[in-house]
Amino acid sequence: LSGRKEERVKASRILQGPPDALTSPESGAVDRQKLLEDLESALYASKVCSYAQGLSLIRAASEANGWDIDLSECARIWR
């Protein structure tokens, strides 16, 4: 995705950043549970991005070389 500026710009118009900080407004302390939930969400998002990048590369190579690779089969194997 780093080389796909047009896609990043489109995504930045759709995606929003976090609405609040990880710290509690009352105590200023880090909310451990929220931090763990956010880390889990970030890990999931990074996996989705990795799969998307990989499938995009495979699709491009398949088209360029006439391999006719079944992307749904690739996704099934990667699960």
Side-chain angles (χ1 to χ4, degrees):
L1 289 176
S2 62
R4 299 178 181 235
K5 183 175 181 178
E6 185 177 317
E7 289 179 19
R8 289 195 323 268
V9 170
K10 281 183 183 178
S12 71
R13 292 184 191 125
I14 298 168
L15 301 173
Q16 301 293 318
D20 56 5
L22 292 173
T23 56
S24 165
E26 299 83 32
S27 67
V30 172
D31 181 343
R32 180 178 167 78
Q33 186 59 38
K34 174 128 177 62
L35 175 62
L36 292 175
E37 290 169 4
D38 287 350
L39 284 172
E40 184 178 359
S41 294
L43 177 60
Y44 181 77
S46 70
K47 286 180 180 182
V48 170
C49 288
S50 293
Y51 284 125
Q53 287 176 330
L55 289 171
S56 178
L57 288 170
I58 291 170
R59 182 186 70 223
S62 179
E63 289 173 357
N65 296 295
W67 293 338
D68 195 32
I69 292 178
D70 182 356
L71 294 179
S72 64
E73 183 64 12
C74 290
R76 186 193 67 76
I77 291 168
W78 288 356
R79 285 180 36 174

